Amino acid sequence: MRVVLFADLAAATERVRATRSRTAKVAALAGCLGNLAPDETEAGVAFLSGEPRQTRLGVGYAALRDLQVPPAGDPRLTVSEVDGAFAALAAASGPGSQDERSRVLRDLLGAATEPEQRLIAGLIVREVRQGALEGLLVEAVAEAAGAPADEVRRAVMLAGDLRPVAAAVLQSGPSALAGFTLEVLRPLKPMLAQSALDVESALERTGPAAVEHKIDGARIQVHRSGGTVRVFTRNLQDATARLPEIVEAVAALDLDSIVLDGEAVALDPDSRPLPFQVTMARFGTEGEAAAERVPLSALFFDCLHLDGADLLDHPAADRVAAMAAVLPPPLLVERIETADPVAAGRFLEAALEAGQEGVVVKALDAPYAAGRRGAAWVKVKPAHTLDLVVLAAEWGSGRRRGWLSNLHLGARDPAGGFVMLGKTFKGMTDEMLAWQTERFLELETHRKGHVVFVRPEQVVEIAFDGVQDSPRYPGGVALRFARVKGFRTDKGPDEADTIGTVRAIHRGERR
């Protein structure tokens, strides 16, 4: 096996960025992955996905801008050397840490060629826009290892992370995938839903289905093993310390082990959901006092493991039946089972009357396809909303002077990057303006006049009245009367709605 230099990753990144062909992207990534040394696989996968393994490096756009280091003439940096430098940046702390980071960064950039410098800078500011989302990397790992893509995808779902799966399968071959199983207390990727305009079209996709309340809360995954309970967010972060009331509720169940999928939501005294922002503000706050002020209720809709038995591959109807046998009704999402669009429509109306944001229609015979947005789950929300990514923000004027206000909104392009759909400054409270100003200055990459461009990381839920043709924007469509419903701190940009979804809504409105 030849030595893979960091320059090889930079070249693969450029090839992926230069093509819109999914096949060509996968081939470029697979060719690079297949040559990585075993001890460099996890770092290499992280670099190709656009993020270093270290979550916080302590280096921002300004530091990179101020460091003007001539590039090296010939490539010599290894993947391990770059990973080690990033680890040193992350470890620097205390007095003199900024000088230490500057020294490490200067030495790293000085050893890098110009393409390598571009990739290093992109990794540091999380702005490697080559389109190598995890779905592409899963296919590339499968191709490089000669393994079925579905089996790699399932292993990633169970592990919650592509990197250890890639390291195992590339080193030991397809048989290594069997070693990834559901482990209680280790989070796995959640199953996701497609969207439909109405329950009739949703049922056409699913057939006989469960129709459930769509809870406007924070997605949670709760694991219990004996007396230990852990609560994880939809992006697999441990939120146990923030949700003592949910830990207590699951700890009180008469069972030994369970893995539950559901929502945490703030309810009023009549059990109606409070506004989403109330839930998310409480969700982000730790401590018993916060739980007493605004308690969160858990409402579960799926069960992935129960008392030693994994249920992932069981039909949805069986999983829910097993869950209903051990959970009290107050912990269960309200649902009916039907193939009748009229009955489903009445249930949707009742859900809206109860303050829910819609329903989710779920095929009764479907397994739990974690990490995928398949046709087995279809959400129906009468008011159009999309989860979009903020690409930039403009400084406000008048009463909003000093705050970043007007947001540039982008839908995800599965081929890579984001497609701008328009701007909005509507629906924002003073608290939201203050929060987003601080948030977007942290994500800033550069400025142009009054516009602050940001790393495409923050997801925002946008309500809108429709989609219209627009030659002004690259996707050819724009949102009508877009307004901010809330920031989705529980979602990553890879979970944003696609430009294909927006165009499908547009086609539906035309019909």
Side-chain angles (χ1 to χ4, degrees), residues 387-392 407-410 418 435-436 439-440 442-443 454-461 486-494 496:
D387 292 327
L388 302 176
V389 173
V390 178
L391 307 178
L407 305 182
H408 296 208
L409 305 171
F418 299 89
W435 182 89
Q436 72 185 34
R439 170 66 170 157
F440 296 141
E442 291 175 353
L443 298 178
V454 299
R455 300 196 302 270
E457 296 180 8
Q458 181 59 57
V459 177
V460 61
E461 186 173 10
F487 288 104
R488 298 304 306 245
T489 55
D490 58 330
K491 286 190 174 184
D494 58 328

Side-chain angles (χ1 to χ4, degrees), residues 137-160:
L137 278 166
V138 166
E139 293 180 32
V141 168
E143 183 172 311
D150 284 346
E151 292 184 17
V152 175
R153 191 174 293 111
R154 178 181 174 83
V156 172
M157 172 264 289
L158 292 167

